[in-house]
Amino acid sequence: MNRHWTTRVNSREETFEFARTITADLGRGDVIGLNGPLGAGKTIFVKGMAKALGMDDPWQELTSPTYTLQNIYPLDETLIHCDAYRLQESDQFLTLGWAEQFSEGITAIEWVDRFLPEIKTYLTAQVKIEILDKQSRDITIVSESEKMESILSQYVIEKENGSK
Ligand code: ADP
Ligand code: MG
């Protein structure tokens, strides 16, 4: 059963820190799917993940793979950063071979909604970012993972159990 947790952040630094904190407990094979409108903070979230994995300055070093579709960073653990924004057909996910490389590191995929049916079984968690105003976001983590439950229990303001 999926659980979901929501936390409110009020700056891009808070989004970064939240991502950094929860990524510290992730491991090889974990796959994080990110959703939210353009400018929500999906790439900022992945910058925080990169920090947790040992990147010195993700604010400068990590860029969105919108055109390259994916960037791979060899860090303490490999970070595979994918962006599905430009995928035309959801089955491109299969032909690109993304699923085959999940075991090679920790993967973050922006716009995962574009091919959710194909990828759902691989996801450790979905991260949904909702824009409230210029600086504030509600970040909802949806996951079935027990590990996520223990990671998140300390950081969230609201927890619900349900089928969402
Ligand atoms: P996305 O990848 O979802 O399209 P980005 O991460 O590239 O979005 O950009 C998010 C933009 O929103 C950045 O310009 C960032 O500075 C701004 N921003 C403002 N508040 C926040 C916040 N709380 N979390 C993340 N980004 C924020
Ligand atoms: Mg982005």
Side-chain angles (χ1 to χ4, degrees):
M1 186 180 70
N2 270 331
R3 302 177 181 85
H4 63 276
W5 299 264
T6 300
T7 189
R8 183 157 300 172
V9 290
N10 295 304
S11 67
R12 64 179 199 155
E13 288 75 17
E14 281 184 34
T15 299
F16 181 97
E17 279 305 311
F18 180 62
R20 188 184 62 76
T21 305
I22 68 173
T23 301
D25 290 309
L26 297 180
R28 183 166 286 218
D30 279 324
V31 182
I32 304 298
L34 295 122
N35 288 308
L38 209 61
K42 299 181 293 299
T43 301
I44 303 275
F45 190 98
V46 182
K47 286 176 190 282
M49 293 179 68
K51 186 69 185 181
L53 301 179
M55 188 181 282
D56 286 338
D57 186 5
W59 296 106
Q60 300 294 332
E61 293 173 55
L62 185 137
T63 52
S64 179
T66 307
Y67 296 98
T68 54
L69 297 180
Q70 68 169 17
N71 291 328
I72 299 179
Y73 301 96
L75 302 168
D76 296 342
E77 179 55 89
T78 301
L79 175 64
I80 303 164
H81 183 191
C82 305
D83 192 322
Y85 186 66
R86 286 165 56 87
L87 295 193
Q88 302 296 328
E89 306 281 345
S90 61
D91 63 3
Q92 268 190 292
F93 157 70
L94 299 172
T95 53
L96 281 167
W98 283 356
E100 281 78 52
Q101 59 185 21
F102 287 159
S103 60
E104 292 163 22
I106 293 174
T107 304
I109 307 178
E110 297 191 37
W111 299 100
V112 77
D113 264 358
R114 304 229 156 175
F115 49 93
L116 201 53
E118 289 80 2
I119 202 182
K120 207 166 187 167
T121 55
Y122 298 100
L123 292 179
T124 307
Q126 281 186 70
V127 177
K128 303 183 178 191
I129 308 179
E130 188 186 341
I131 301 177
L132 301 177
D133 60 32
K134 201 160 180 283
Q135 301 293 326
S136 301
R137 310 285 189 263
D138 271 350
I139 303 179
T140 298
I141 310 278
V142 182
S143 178
E144 292 182 2
S145 148
E146 296 290 324
K147 182 167 68 175
M148 269 293 154
E149 169 141 39
S150 61
I151 293 172
L152 287 166
S153 54
Q154 332 166 37
Y155 298 105
V156 296
I157 55 169
E158 174 195 330
K159 178 187 165 188
E160 294 174 41
N161 292 308
S163 57
K164 189 175 166 187

